[in-house]
Amino acid sequence: MELKKNASDGLKVSRRKQASGAGKKYRKSQSAVADLMFGPSIDRCGFTPAGISGFSDLRPAAVVRELIQNAMDAALIEAEETCAHVRFVLSQCSLKDIPGIQSFRDAFDLAVKQGQPSGSAKSDVERIRRALNETNHQVLTVIDNGVGLDGKRMSALLSDGISAKGGKSAGTFGNGHSAVIPASNLRYVLYGGVTADGDSYGSGQAVLASHWVQGDEVGRSGRGMYLESIEQSALDQPLKLARGEAIPPMVQSALEHVRHAHGHGSAVIIPAFNNFVDHDQSLQETVFRAASCNFFQAIHEGILVVEVESSGEHGVLNDRSLPDVLAKYCNQTRTDRRGSFLSGRKANEAHMTLKEGNPYEVDTGFGFVQVRVALRDSGRQSVGLCRNGMWITDEIPTFQNAFSDRQPFQALILLRSLDDTEFFNMVKDAETPLHDKLAIKRMEPDSRRRDLRRALKAIQSRIAEIVPESTRETYIPDDIFAFQFEDVEAGGRGGSRQPSFGGRMASSRRQETKSQEGSEGEKGGVNQGGEKEERKGKKRRAVVVEPSFRIASVPSGERERKVHLECTKDTEDAEFRVFIDENVDATCDPQTRTQAQAVLLSNIRVAGHQLEDSKLVHNDEGVVGVKLGSLLAGSSLLIETNYAISSGALDVVRGCEPALRIEVTGSREVLSLGGSSSNG
């Protein structure tokens, strides 16, 4: 007992020396002891480093998606398991039980004192300071049955932009776990792994800011790592991770669960878990919603099971419970910051296509790919892409407006790494870091971009052969009423120009119909029974849809709008809303219509009268819409409203005034008017 006490006292002295800079070596003693260490670095970084600033305002779905994706790669591809099991466990811990917390506090105090953070960094610092002053914290632990984190994989995880994943994995970037770090109020995440050989490893990383310790020849990095030593014999050698008795109890406890349940696997531990920045949904609802919408294919096929343990409750999401979970969100037509990467309605439709769609094998010229196609009685034409059981996108380059002459349908392109095709590799290379878009322009060289477009064109052509032409009647209007914005001279001194309504009648040119004779023996589509049809000599006509509404809008003051609305035909349940009409987040990726952020409305007048609350549409933050009710053809309304950007968008707008889109819906018709808030 005396020896242990002396060793403990010596450890305390060693920690004080490291924090105060009394020693110039950045290495612990040779005993099996690990700590959070901020190594030497000549680079300076603040509390908002680029590595995580892009993830600081992500939806909870981004964190859940990243954790499940990594677990699936580790289990299905690297460990060659038949099913990936991912368990989310919410528990409590004391601040003093968080490994390396004293070294964390010392580094934080120095970084704040020397850096004098301001702006957005100031809020990050305050959040960390509050967490350090709290005695008890939530801990989110995520374990899986993957191959386990050995020295090489753990070292890659702690690095920036280095990946130890194979080419068949769903992930592409080595810094994907950066998405998880903001889920901790301390910006501190711990990792553990048990390999098939039974070896255990532990580590972690904290993101603060660079700082300088008195006596050091160079400064300290803002990124701390939980290690036994930060010295390496070579750059390509694994870091000296915590092993055996050096693995802290918090990590060791999770690894014991991994060992008992699966024999091998990994654990990601998030101390000071902030429930995705104080999210108001339960952990199970958040995880199940994100998992079901993003991994419906993997769950449906029985290669992914997700469990959640929280507050004494235990839930399981598998192929049997998936339909019921998805059904909860079947009427959700928009995504939001708390939701997944696609709306609940889209997820349900995609799941139905997966179950009921007719299967086809398409030759892309760079390998075969599986496609499922389901014809619809109504709706839109949509093609989605899933890779390794994970939803990627339904905004596929070269597919825009490619099927406007086809009847409503939904198709799913199902890419699997086991196919090991060049098409799979090209799609993976084109994905953005969050794996939710295809950015062909970022691919190199030019020939590879051309090859991917050629492959996508082959899929597009095959789907066009499968889906019958639209049978809708063609409508061609003689003329339309166009509102044109004009600046008019204002009376008074200076002759300043003011925005004004300048609506006037303008004749539009008729859109001529175009006929195309189908060649003899031309391949047709499939009828509802799945039988092929021949299309011979059939004329195709361009379809022009008459809008139900005509809209004009101008600013009438600071964050105030006047909107003139004219109804062209009888409409039921008309509703008025305003949305941000541009992408304003850090990714610079375009937003889809369903991802648009609603604008909050106030002081709403319709035809000069204030509206009752029953006529307003609310969300958690305020009023987002106006119920206009039934409108007769030829009727018009003047809507006046003040507006404000919701708090959910403030973090990404950063003081700029975004362009707005006014949208009126009714009788399943939608007309949008886009335009900046400054010029209508």
Side-chain angles (χ1 to χ4, degrees), residues 88-91 283-284 308-315:
F88 292 75
V89 181
L90 189 63
S91 60
L283 178 65
Q284 178 170 308
V308 176
E309 295 180 15
S310 173
S311 302
E313 297 181 353
H314 178 225

Side-chain angles (χ1 to χ4, degrees), residues 436-453:
D436 61 343
K437 294 179 180 66
L438 296 184
I440 298 181
K441 292 182 179 180
R442 64 185 293 271
M443 298 176 67
E444 294 292 345
D446 291 346
S447 59
R448 194 164 176 80
R449 294 197 292 268
R450 289 194 296 269
D451 289 345
L452 179 53
R453 288 193 174 95

Side-chain angles (χ1 to χ4, degrees), residues 5-17:
K5 182 178 185 301
N6 291 340
S8 176
D9 291 341
L11 173 59
K12 292 178 181 177
V13 172
S14 176
R15 285 178 176 166
R16 285 197 296 270
K17 286 184 177 180

